[in-house]
Amino acid sequence: MSTSIIVVGANGRMGRTISQLVDAEPAFNLAGMVDSKEHVGKLAGSPCPVGDSLAAVLPQAPGAVTIDFTAPAVSLQSARTVAESGRALVIGTTGFTDAEKDELRELAKRAPIFWSSNMSIGINVLYKILPELTRALGDTYDIEMVELHHNHKKDSPSGTALTLGECLADARGWKLNDVRCSSRDGIIGERPKAQIGIQAIRGGDVVGVHTVYFMGPGERIEVTHQAHSRENFAQGALRAAAWLAGQKPGKLYSMQDTF
């Protein structure tokens, strides 16, 4: 049985990639496409319902799972919309504030909602193993991270870098907001031990590279994840959608729940 998919932000880079994969995968079918009033005209002639709001398209696609890779305000509205009907929603958007994440968690009590700052299977495996590595190495190792993304990316550091940073900080018993350093300039003195540096580089068409450095006495360990194409994230989102279709409301799901 195939999983029906509604794509929000269908004209965006991720939206187009997801739509193309859905068309190519027999296990899925494209049940609806949503974009802003400014761009929805570009969807004319699509073989499925289209509209400038999820609320308009959702009733035309019974049982469909919505996938949203847009912006925090749009994704929050998508979550509010599905919460009214109990329909399922996969969010791959980054840049949410803590208050917005709290709202997502509340809305997830009313509808099956899945959110991950990175849909890559490899990155989600790192969320599991990096804390183990952090604890095994101990406090004598300094932790730094560098993330590279394309020149169109709007948030910095990336949502993935912040999530990686949170799991590293948790392993040390720290709160990331208390120890994160994303800017160094001038005479700043010695590096504090209770610090995790996260630096961002932007340029070209880099899909995404994250490198975590563990630097200790006499040695350095580097753990790098490179995303070669957006299909990596789109495939993860479709995997999440197929899994979410069978879940009930109650918590804000993530890729960790699918393993």
Side-chain angles (χ1 to χ4, degrees):
M1 183 176 177
S2 65
T3 303
S4 296
I5 301 294
I6 298 172
V7 180
V8 177
N11 283 304
R13 288 185 293 273
M14 278 303 303
R16 290 194 298 271
T17 302
I18 292 167
S19 298
Q20 290 165 3
L21 283 180
V22 169
D23 282 338
E25 290 281 352
F28 299 92
N29 70 281
L30 193 59
M33 303 173 79
V34 179
D35 216 313
S36 64
K37 291 181 179 178
E38 180 183 1
H39 297 293
V40 72
K42 299 175 184 177
L43 301 176
S46 299
C48 63
V50 302
D52 59 15
S53 72
L54 180 58
V57 173
L58 206 59
Q60 304 179 65
V65 179
T66 299
I67 299 180
D68 185 321
F69 278 75
T70 54
V74 178
S75 296
L76 269 176
Q77 186 55 49
S78 292
R80 295 172 188 136
T81 298
V82 300
E84 294 177 1
S85 60
R87 300 282 290 277
L89 170 66
V90 173
I91 300 173
T93 303
T94 61
F96 289 109
T97 65
D98 288 343
E100 289 169 336
K101 292 176 187 176
D102 287 341
E103 183 176 356
L104 285 177
R105 293 185 186 98
E106 286 300 311
L107 293 168
K109 296 176 181 178
R110 299 161 54 193
I113 299 176
F114 178 109
W115 173 70
S116 180
S117 59
N118 193 305
M119 295 290 179
S120 158
I121 302 302
I123 281 288
N124 280 276
V125 170
L126 288 186
Y127 293 154
K128 283 182 171 290
I129 66 174
L130 285 177
E132 297 177 15
L133 182 56
T134 301
R135 288 187 287 266
L137 291 172
D139 294 345
T140 58
Y141 285 73
D142 297 323
I143 305 173
E144 296 279 319
M145 190 188 317
V146 176
E147 55 101 343
L148 292 77
H149 281 88
H150 53 87
N151 54 24
H152 295 291
K153 187 164 182 60
K154 295 179 175 62
D155 56 320
S156 175
S158 70
T160 300
L162 292 175
T163 305
L164 288 168
E166 286 170 355
C167 76
L168 293 165
D170 287 347
R172 286 273 174 94
W174 302 335
K175 295 293 184 182
L176 182 62
N177 287 341
D178 295 336
V179 299
R180 174 164 71 92
C181 177
S182 293
S183 176
R184 294 187 177 110
D185 187 27
I187 307 300
I188 60 172
E190 293 185 3
R191 181 191 191 281
K193 293 302 295 181
Q195 186 174 89
I196 296 177
I198 304 179
Q199 313 305 324
I201 298 175
R202 297 288 180 266
D205 59 358
V206 178
V207 175
V209 180
H210 295 80
T211 300
V212 179
Y213 299 87
F214 296 90
M215 294 172 283
E219 65 178 5
R220 180 176 76 247
I221 298 172
E222 301 179 11
V223 180
T224 297
H225 177 273
Q226 299 188 37
H228 296 159
S229 77
R230 289 185 180 84
E231 285 193 9
N232 177 42
F233 309 129
Q235 290 283 10
L238 291 177
R239 167 177 166 156
W243 177 86
L244 190 65
Q247 306 306 311
K248 296 183 181 300
K251 59 170 285 188
L252 184 60
Y253 294 108
S254 73
M255 193 66 79
Q256 302 297 309
D257 295 304
T258 70
F259 292 153

